[in-house]
Amino acid sequence: MGHEVVIVVFDGVQSLDVAGPLEVFAGAGRAPGADYRVRVGSLGGGAVRTSSGLGLVPSVALEEVGRIDTLVVAGGDGARAGVDPALVEWLAGACGRAGRVASVCTGAFLLAGAGVLEGLRATTHWAHCAELARRFPGVEVDPDPIFVRQGRVVTSAGVSAGVDLSLALVEEDLGRRVALAVARHLVVFLRRPGGQAQFSAPLAAQWAQRPAVREVQHWIVGNPAADLSVEALAGRVGLSVRQFARVFAREVGCTPGRYVERVRVEAARRWLEDSDLGVEAVARRSGFASAEVMRRVFVRSLGCSPAGYRSRFHGAEGV
């Protein structure tokens, strides 16, 4: 009978939230032995206009859809405001009979509106997590992961995270080899687990207005194992330690020490994910004084040890 994938669209949908999963599932469907049928549907089957102005012509009217193995609800401005009540009503019924349900970005708002996320942990684009939690207090909103799976319901972060989620579902259905082949074809990483952070340390902070301080931020990212003491960093921009610390905190939103720690954690994460270096070597290359110092920082920041992190994520992103 094949595997029926339905991607839900509407006026104000984000085009990449549709195209990403569509390309992943369509690409997987070309693998030997795969039998995906991927359809894009809207209420009434009419054309929709994306948030960027691009027109999309769906292949099916949602009201005519029968069996659904995987239902993907895209996000976009139209998922948060001016939502058609008929779409929410259709989703409430369709999600109950679908084999599994997924949302991309702010598509989580539509699932929450349909009652699907009540009592579940979920995520959405980091910029809209607070709004999702405020509007739907029965949903446990986690702003950090790329995607969150709760049984047959999966919610993902913004835009490109829909590709990560879709690849994970393809791997679940068809195995790592097919998912990896699709990832290579699309020139993206294969991220199987969803626990990686939505954004990197530099994105989690803001960039300084002063060019000299902004340049120091970039230098820290590129040189995590260097001497990154406040004294050394202040010397690079020709400021006193007190003045540098004050300017950095005001313009970046955190202290120099906190920013350096974030960068070093991220560097260590990448070494643990993508290399076979021992924990001691990873600590040195990432700028930590010792493996024990790195372990304490990991437990405090990520809730797990470096060894535990590696056991979950090693090799998951390598292509």
Side-chain angles (χ1 to χ4, degrees):
M1 295 178 62
H3 188 106
E4 296 283 339
V5 180
V6 176
I7 301 174
V8 176
V9 299
F10 43 85
D11 280 327
V13 73
Q14 161 69 251
S15 57
L16 285 177
D17 288 2
V18 181
L22 177 62
E23 292 296 337
V24 170
F25 286 113
R30 290 189 286 270
D35 194 10
Y36 280 133
R37 183 166 76 141
V38 189
R39 295 186 288 173
V40 175
S42 67
L43 286 178
V48 301
R49 184 169 295 278
T50 71
S51 56
S52 61
L54 178 70
L56 293 179
V57 180
S59 55
V60 67
L62 292 176
E63 298 89 339
E64 298 174 1
V65 171
R67 183 172 60 89
I68 305 173
D69 294 300
T70 298
L71 180 65
V72 179
V73 182
D77 294 340
R80 295 170 45 239
V83 177
D84 187 341
L87 177 59
V88 176
E89 182 180 356
W90 183 87
L91 284 171
C95 290
R97 58 188 171 85
R100 63 188 177 197
V101 178
S103 67
V104 181
C105 195
T106 52
F109 283 78
L110 290 172
L111 291 187
V116 177
L117 301 183
E118 189 69 20
L120 299 182
R121 178 169 160 259
T123 194
T124 186
H125 190 292
W126 61 268
H128 301 296
C129 282
E131 180 187 356
L132 182 64
R134 184 179 66 253
R135 288 176 54 181
F136 302 98
V139 180
E140 181 187 345
V141 181
D142 188 341
D144 189 48
I146 290 174
F147 61 86
V148 171
R149 181 153 197 172
Q150 296 276 271
R152 66 186 188 88
V153 179
V154 196
T155 53
S156 77
V159 192
S160 62
V163 172
D164 299 310
L165 179 150
S166 301
L167 285 169
L169 297 182
V170 166
E171 182 174 8
E172 178 181 304
D173 294 339
L174 303 175
R176 182 176 176 82
R177 183 186 60 79
V178 173
L180 186 57
V182 174
R184 283 176 171 154
H185 179 73
L186 297 177
V187 197
V188 296
F189 290 121
L190 174 60
R191 289 192 179 107
R192 181 171 59 186
Q196 290 98 328
Q198 285 196 30
F199 42 76
S200 64
L203 286 177
Q206 58 194 27
W207 293 110
Q209 293 183 354
R210 293 194 186 192
V213 178
R214 192 163 60 244
E215 186 175 315
V216 165
Q217 287 181 268
H218 286 290
W219 192 83
I220 291 170
V221 172
N223 301 274
D227 178 3
L228 301 181
S229 63
V230 178
E231 292 80 8
L233 296 175
R236 292 188 67 84
V237 294
L239 297 174
S240 70
V241 170
R242 179 176 297 181
Q243 186 180 15
F244 172 74
R246 185 172 61 250
V247 169
F248 193 99
R250 183 177 66 245
E251 297 200 6
V252 179
C254 64
T255 65
R258 179 59 176 149
Y259 183 80
V260 167
E261 182 178 278
R262 288 175 180 173
V263 169
R264 284 175 167 164
V265 167
E266 181 163 315
R269 285 176 49 230
R270 295 308 178 196
W271 283 114
L272 291 168
E273 291 170 12
D274 299 335
S275 79
D276 294 318
L277 291 172
V279 173
E280 287 282 356
V282 169
R284 287 195 304 272
R285 294 196 181 199
S286 305
F288 290 101
S290 67
E292 175 57 27
V293 170
M294 183 173 74
R295 188 194 67 80
R296 291 200 298 266
V297 173
F298 261 58
V299 170
R300 183 177 70 247
S301 303
L302 304 178
C304 66
S305 67
Y309 186 89
R310 168 168 274 171
S311 70
R312 292 179 63 197
F313 297 121
H314 180 53
E317 292 187 328
V319 176

